[in-house]
Amino acid sequence: MDKITSVNLTFSYGGVPAIKNINLTVEPNTVMALIGPSGCGKSTFLRCINRMNDIIPNIGIDGDILIDNESIYHRDFDVTGLRRRVGMVFQKSNPFPKSIFENIAYGLRINGIKNTYEIERTVEQSLKRTALWDEVKDRLDQSALGLSGGQQQRLCIARTIAVAPEIILMDEPASALDPLSTQKIEELIQDLKQNYTIIIVTHNMQQAARVSDHTAFFYLGELIEVNRTDMIFTKPDNEMTENYITGKFG
């Protein structure tokens, strides 16, 4: 169970709301796509779920986010534990300047795992789950920075799942990749949802249609519409949603 619910969530930078009164539920083991023009609040909302926005000065937050009915903005909530449960994959792949092996092992060691066999087994499993193992198994001691862009992004996803999160947030994970690498990332998302709840921000309408179960359309900081992805793309309730999807603005 990893149901995510935002309740009347408003988030401001310097007194200016970036998202306003967002009510949205993401069911366990599904993929939710967040779509909308640049600057509409998608990434801000995403970063509220692992409280990554906390490090920004002069912010304000009203409302709440619940994970499995537990408030993550309660003053006694364990934020470090939250970030272990909620993994994040960024738009630009960001491997550490370490070996391929150490990129994945590093997070395990930080989480207190010292058993060499367990670390090796988890590294191999994570690389297999991201369809990277066969491509890198003979060069695990080489720098991760020598991998292609698509391989680096899959390595970052492997690094994320190695520490066994429950939720994965993805902020345009394929926007910088070629079509073949993008296809591999999309296939991986479909595979991962068996074990994780996934939220993906994407500007690519076709990608949202391919990978997600539900789609939420944001505009100017407001949630305009959320529904099953097939309904959003074939019979949206809101004319603004239809105009965005058909390319009339955005």
Side-chain angles (χ1 to χ4, degrees):
M1 281 290 293
D2 292 294
K3 183 175 180 177
I4 306 163
T5 308
S6 74
V7 184
N8 299 327
L9 185 72
T10 296
F11 187 90
S12 305
Y13 300 102
V16 179
I19 52 174
K20 307 166 205 161
N21 207 35
I22 305 297
N23 290 283
L24 181 63
T25 296
V26 185
E27 296 294 340
N29 301 108
T30 62
V31 180
M32 169 73 78
L34 309 182
I35 64 170
S38 295
C40 68
K42 306 182 300 292
S43 293
T44 295
F45 176 73
L46 198 72
R47 288 160 187 255
C48 285
I49 299 170
N50 66 352
R51 292 189 50 178
M52 211 167 162
N53 291 325
D54 287 17
I55 59 174
I56 302 169
N58 201 17
I59 59 167
I61 186 155
D62 290 303
D64 205 351
I65 293 178
L66 310 177
I67 296 180
D68 292 340
N69 296 318
E70 185 180 10
S71 166
I72 70 167
Y73 281 94
H74 189 279
R75 65 174 183 229
D76 297 328
F77 192 77
D78 176 10
V79 179
T80 304
L82 173 71
R83 291 182 184 141
R84 276 199 293 268
R85 292 171 63 193
V86 183
M88 183 101 182
V89 178
F90 296 93
Q91 179 174 0
K92 188 177 184 314
S93 57
N94 57 343
F96 303 138
K98 299 173 179 287
S99 71
I100 294 167
F101 183 91
E102 280 303 318
N103 259 270
I104 297 173
Y106 181 75
L108 300 170
R109 294 196 179 100
I110 281 191
N111 284 331
I113 296 172
K114 298 186 174 72
N115 183 295
T116 302
Y117 169 74
E118 186 179 350
I119 290 173
E120 289 176 351
R121 181 176 62 89
T122 303
V123 169
E124 181 175 341
Q125 282 179 341
S126 302
L127 289 170
K128 282 180 173 173
R129 293 221 48 199
T130 52
L132 256 183
W133 176 251
D134 289 339
E135 297 172 31
V136 303
K137 64 184 178 186
D138 298 323
R139 48 179 176 142
L140 294 175
D141 58 345
Q142 294 179 20
S143 171
L145 302 180
L147 296 173
S148 72
Q151 288 173 324
Q152 286 188 13
Q153 192 62 299
R154 281 185 286 147
L155 179 70
C156 292
I157 296 172
R159 188 175 71 193
T160 298
I161 64 176
V163 295
E166 299 156 20
I167 294 162
I168 301 177
L169 310 177
M170 296 184 167
D171 197 351
E172 297 195 63
S175 66
L177 304 180
D178 62 87
L180 185 59
S181 297
T182 296
Q183 182 184 349
K184 288 185 176 179
I185 296 288
E186 290 179 3
E187 289 169 354
L188 178 55
I189 291 168
Q190 287 298 301
D191 179 50
L192 290 175
K193 80 171 182 181
Q194 314 304 322
N195 300 95
Y196 307 94
T197 305
I198 299 173
I199 304 180
I200 176 172
V201 167
T202 180
H203 276 108
N204 184 323
M205 296 297 104
Q206 291 82 13
Q207 182 172 78
R210 286 191 297 261
V211 305
S212 67
D213 302 292
H214 297 86
T215 296
F217 171 54
F218 282 69
Y219 184 65
L220 296 179
E222 296 184 4
L223 176 59
I224 304 300
E225 183 173 355
V226 59
N227 207 335
R228 286 200 338 250
T229 295
D230 58 338
M231 296 298 290
I232 287 279
F233 282 94
T234 57
K235 285 196 288 191
D237 291 333
N238 192 294
E239 185 180 359
M240 200 182 295
T241 310
E242 183 172 358
N243 288 342
Y244 180 72
I245 286 168
T246 55
K248 289 181 181 165
F249 75 94

